[in-house]
Amino acid sequence: VWDAATGNALATLEGHVKDVKSVIFSPDGSKIASGSTDKTARVWDVATGSVLATLQGQTDRIWSVAFSPDGSKIASGSEDKTVQVWDTTTGTVLVTLKGHTREVSSVAFSPDGRKIASASWDETARVWDAATGAVLTTFEGHTGLVSSVAFSADGSKIVSGSDDKTVRVWDVASGSSLATLKGHTDLIWSVAISSDERKIVSGSEDQTIRVWGAATGTLLATLEGHTSAVKSVAFSQDDSKIVSGSEDKTVRVWD
């Protein structure tokens, strides 16, 4: 855990025995969830650095974790082709989402917590009922593995990034593609939407970050500086900054 203003390390959370692929804060900032290639997810206390729960049950590497908006649930996406939904406090599995035919690379809860979006190497994204595990919509159109998915702030759209070098915007209700954003020259690892829904950011194997107009699909900016693949991107809560993580071993904050 780092101080965003100074760059100083505040805490080191130790316990996983293999690579950590995904981390996320709980909505209230008191906990962190992490997913690892050791086939577990863990819940940590931010203040003390202690492990609150170890989530065990998936049979292969965990690529992505997400908290529900109220912090009571965690979703994890795994190489075992499933998404599992866990009770944050007890660590028990509430429901398992089955349907993808390859690795699940990314998961996200809708803003109301009633839906979960997933991205998979089977070239699809899906939206599920978070309570029942039923598939609500399957999004087809990418021609390569889908590596990342994110909901819009109103929950009506999802954005996906793919190995086909494109970002797509989809209508959740109909499953139709609303826009295809082209410009990256290699696999897109991560996507995010600003909370005001005006911008989309994407990070790519091509070592760049791109910022797009969400309504028009127009490329607004290309952020260059990383010297290796950009594996993760996110907006700050007020949308004024972008943070990126790269295989060049650095985290960068962009204005």
Side-chain angles (χ1 to χ4, degrees), residues 13 23 36 52 60 119 121 169 250:
L13 311 181
V23 292
S36 169
L52 300 175
D60 213 327
W121 287 21
V169 184
T250 69

Side-chain angles (χ1 to χ4, degrees), residues 123-151:
E123 302 185 1
T124 72
R126 296 185 183 222
V127 169
W128 314 75
D129 184 298
T132 68
V135 178
L136 301 176
T137 316
T138 300
F139 304 87
E140 297 178 308
H142 281 299
T143 57
L145 65 87
V146 185
S147 57
S148 182
V149 67
F151 269 102

Side-chain angles (χ1 to χ4, degrees), residues 59-73:
T59 59
D60 213 327
R61 294 179 284 188
I62 294 175
W63 290 103
S64 181
V65 290
F67 270 104
S68 61
D70 65 2
S72 68
K73 300 178 185 69

Side-chain angles (χ1 to χ4, degrees), residues 13-109:
L13 311 181
E14 296 180 309
H16 284 296
V17 295
K18 290 189 177 180
D19 303 4
V20 176
K21 292 295 187 181
S22 179
V23 292
I24 190 167
F25 273 102
S26 62
D28 66 3
S30 68
K31 300 178 185 70
I32 289 172
S34 58
S36 169
T37 60
D38 66 11
K39 306 178 188 177
T40 72
R42 294 188 180 225
V43 184
W44 310 80
D45 184 290
V46 171
T48 66
S50 60
V51 177
L52 300 175
T54 299
L55 313 181
Q56 295 177 300
Q58 288 183 303
T59 59
D60 213 327
R61 294 179 284 188
I62 294 175
W63 290 103
S64 181
V65 290
F67 270 104
S68 61
D70 65 2
S72 68
K73 300 178 185 69
I74 293 168
S76 58
S78 171
E79 198 161 324
D80 69 9
K81 308 173 189 176
T82 72
V83 178
Q84 290 197 327
V85 183
W86 311 79
D87 183 291
T88 301
T89 303
T90 66
T92 57
V93 177
L94 301 174
V95 65
T96 300
L97 315 182
K98 297 180 179 180
H100 283 297
T101 58
R102 290 197 64 190
E103 296 94 318
V104 177
S105 49
S106 179
V107 292
F109 273 94

Side-chain angles (χ1 to χ4, degrees), residues 148-164:
S148 182
V149 67
F151 269 102
S152 62
D154 67 1
S156 68
K157 303 177 188 70
I158 62 167
V159 174
S160 58
S162 171
D163 188 33
D164 66 11

